[in-house]
Amino acid sequence: TEWKEKEKETSPESKVITAEMLTFHSFIQYHLHKQLSVMSLYARTKHVALHVEVPASVHPLGADIMANPQLFKQGPCLGIAPNFSMPFGANTNLPVPDWEGHQNQGFQWWSARLEHLAHYFQGICLRDVSTYFRCFEIPADAKTAELGNYTPHVPVNRVDLERRGVQNIIDLERAFITDTVVSRVSGERALEVTRKLLDKAPWGSSSAVRYQPKQELLFNNPEASLMPILSRLSSNILLIPAQDGVGPRLLMEHNSNGALESVDRTVRDALRAAHDEYYYGERNTRLWKNWGIYHLRKLKSLTPMLITCEDREEALPSFIREGIGNCQIPLQSQLLYNWDGPPSIKVGPHWTIASTSSISRKLLRFWWEEHRDTPALKWLYNDVLGLTDIPPHFCESAIVQRAILR
């Protein structure tokens, strides 16, 4: 169902539930319950287990937020942390779970949620499992996730930075905008951007003029085409203010548009060390690992359903993998096939589910039809399934059953 534009607004007035809306969505939920119940019962008669994805967050205008506002942080949104394939990250526009709120409530919301799902499903997949270890929080109105911070965390102490030779820390918390940065970010529109968006800043050296966004932009937005450029320039910060300290900008070595290179070597080395200690050092990784283990174990204790997990991160940090293994939760699906060639079903990592498809992959029969007369299909048919004749044109039900049994 597509929501009207007015219902997509996040102002308090837009969250008023009318009797018409309540009746409509109750009607939809009732028929969903009926259809899921029939489907689940039929699947059980065929000895098929149903697995459902369960996100850690909920829709920002959903009933869960309205009924349990104390379980989700008001203000920040969940962000996708910047990485090498997505250097600016992304704003998911989803509320951040308040895990302390869940703990104070005795995880009653999670208990009721899992109990209801158990009426239809035999297993759940925790999507974005890293969220149970740490949340990457960003401002709700952020277009990118460049200025996000992980929570919970132990921030970098300002006094420690000063002892390492980092002076004028407040200057590193401001956007680093110079003519070189403007040219790099805005290209051919550099002069236009400088004229319409920027004023000279009262800080910086005479050799490198620093700029700041015009004060009037706080009240009047620039033209739409310049908004992304202004966002990029305003986000060019090395240290992000946090309670009791600062958080180093994630991947500052690659994403700072010359800001890191502009400081002297002593400061640059100190910032690099602070960055690595914050994101990879034992102080925070131990906190995040214990935090995730606590949440995953708690969820396991609330349901008899099989729990698996997946994550969008390209390479999960070792402390998250260790935490998942500590809880004995399968991390991913080991398929009978992949896109590059014949895999080996025997080399799956510990606590892995073997299946003929996964939530994000095509069904085996579709893959079969796309790979007719290929070495990958012949290897799968002869070596994995142990069949000696020529692979049939279609993936028949007997083949799928044999694959499951294997």
Side-chain angles (χ1 to χ4, degrees):
T1 303
E2 293 186 2
W3 288 57
K4 298 177 182 178
E5 288 301 318
K6 185 176 180 180
E7 294 172 342
K8 293 181 181 179
E9 298 175 359
T10 56
S11 61
E13 294 78 10
S14 68
K15 296 185 180 182
V16 176
I17 301 178
T18 65
E20 181 182 2
M21 290 173 59
L22 184 61
T23 301
F24 172 75
H25 289 289
S26 297
F27 175 81
I28 295 295
Q29 291 290 326
Y30 170 70
H31 282 281
L32 176 62
H33 161 71
K34 287 185 63 177
Q35 294 173 18
L36 280 176
S37 298
V38 172
M39 179 187 67
S40 179
L41 180 61
Y42 177 78
R44 292 184 186 185
T45 63
K46 301 298 182 181
H47 306 289
V48 173
L50 300 180
H51 210 60
V52 64
E53 289 187 358
V54 177
S57 189
V58 295
H59 194 284
L61 297 183
D64 291 294
I65 289 283
M66 299 180 187
N68 302 280
Q70 75 280 9
L71 301 182
F72 301 91
K73 295 184 179 181
Q74 305 299 312
C77 283
L78 274 176
I80 300 175
N83 53 60
F84 292 109
S85 62
M86 190 185 295
F88 310 128
N91 187 346
T92 67
N93 295 308
L94 297 175
V96 179
D98 189 334
W99 289 112
E100 291 185 1
H102 285 287
Q103 183 177 353
N104 295 336
Q105 195 198 52
F107 288 86
Q108 294 178 9
W109 179 82
W110 269 105
S111 179
R113 189 186 195 191
L114 296 176
E115 181 180 359
H116 186 74
L117 289 174
H119 290 302
Y120 319 111
F121 305 101
Q122 290 70 52
I124 61 171
C125 176
L126 300 177
R127 286 304 306 270
D128 300 322
V129 67
S130 57
T131 306
Y132 298 85
F133 290 80
R134 57 183 182 177
C135 296
F136 197 72
E137 296 186 12
I138 62 175
D141 59 349
K143 303 301 180 183
T144 67
E146 294 174 273
L147 299 185
N149 249 332
Y150 282 114
T151 57
H153 69 152
V154 179
V156 177
N157 190 284
R158 296 174 187 269
V159 176
D160 289 342
L161 281 177
E162 291 174 352
R163 288 172 180 169
R164 296 183 181 186
V166 181
Q167 305 299 324
N168 300 322
I169 293 178
I170 191 172
D171 192 26
L172 301 177
E173 297 174 3
R174 299 181 175 124
F176 180 80
I177 307 175
T178 64
D179 291 318
T180 301
V181 173
V182 174
S183 297
R184 185 181 300 183
V185 171
S186 51
E188 297 178 352
R189 305 188 69 179
L191 292 178
E192 178 189 8
V193 167
T194 303
R195 177 172 52 85
K196 292 184 177 180
L197 304 182
L198 305 175
D199 285 327
K200 287 186 178 180
W203 54 83
S205 64
S206 57
S207 60
V209 177
R210 290 275 295 272
Y211 297 97
Q212 62 181 349
K214 291 180 179 290
Q215 294 296 314
E216 62 195 61
L217 298 178
L218 296 173
F219 310 98
N220 300 301
N221 291 330
E223 59 187 83
S225 63
L226 293 177
M227 284 293 289
I229 297 176
L230 178 62
S231 176
R232 288 284 315 283
L233 293 174
S234 301
S235 300
N236 201 35
I237 293 172
L238 290 175
L239 295 177
I240 302 169
Q243 187 175 1
D244 300 325
V246 293
R249 176 198 184 100
L250 181 59
L251 299 180
M252 66 166 61
E253 189 80 42
H254 308 278
N255 291 349
S256 62
N257 283 315
L260 188 61
E261 292 81 359
S262 71
V263 298
D264 62 58
R265 182 173 180 179
T266 299
V267 176
R268 187 161 57 246
D269 291 344
L271 291 177
R272 286 169 173 162
H275 174 278
D276 293 347
E277 289 173 8
Y278 178 85
Y279 289 106
Y280 313 118
E282 185 179 357
R283 182 170 53 181
N284 270 324
T285 57
R286 181 171 53 190
L287 168 67
W288 293 329
K289 179 179 178 180
N290 292 336
W291 192 252
I293 289 175
Y294 171 77
H295 294 142
L296 294 182
R297 284 182 175 176
K298 189 64 181 179
L299 296 189
K300 281 191 69 175
S301 71
L302 297 177
T303 179
M305 290 187 290
L306 171 68
I307 297 181
T308 63
C309 57
E310 291 184 353
D311 200 273
R312 76 180 80 211
E313 286 200 30
E314 297 174 338
L316 280 176
S318 59
F319 72 87
I320 293 183
R321 291 183 176 274
E322 291 169 3
I324 295 170
N326 182 283
C327 299
Q328 299 183 348
I329 293 179
L331 174 59
Q332 63 187 43
S333 295
Q334 173 70 30
L335 302 183
L336 286 173
Y337 62 88
N338 62 17
W339 305 120
D340 302 319
S344 173
I345 198 170
K346 299 179 181 179
V347 299
H350 189 51
W351 294 109
T352 295
I353 287 185
S355 67
T356 57
S357 66
S358 74
I359 294 169
S360 57
R361 293 292 190 92
K362 293 183 179 180
L363 296 175
L364 175 59
R365 64 176 182 270
F366 293 147
W367 178 88
W368 188 286
E369 294 175 14
E370 292 176 352
H371 290 76
R372 291 172 184 153
D373 302 322
T374 64
L377 179 56
K378 294 178 180 178
W379 181 90
L380 173 64
Y381 188 76
N382 298 135
D383 294 359
V384 175
L385 300 183
L387 299 171
T388 57
D389 54 332
I390 299 175
H393 198 67
F394 296 102
C395 182
E396 301 162 351
S397 59
I399 295 175
V400 177
Q401 183 178 16
R402 186 178 182 88
I404 294 173
L405 294 176
R406 294 286 286 183

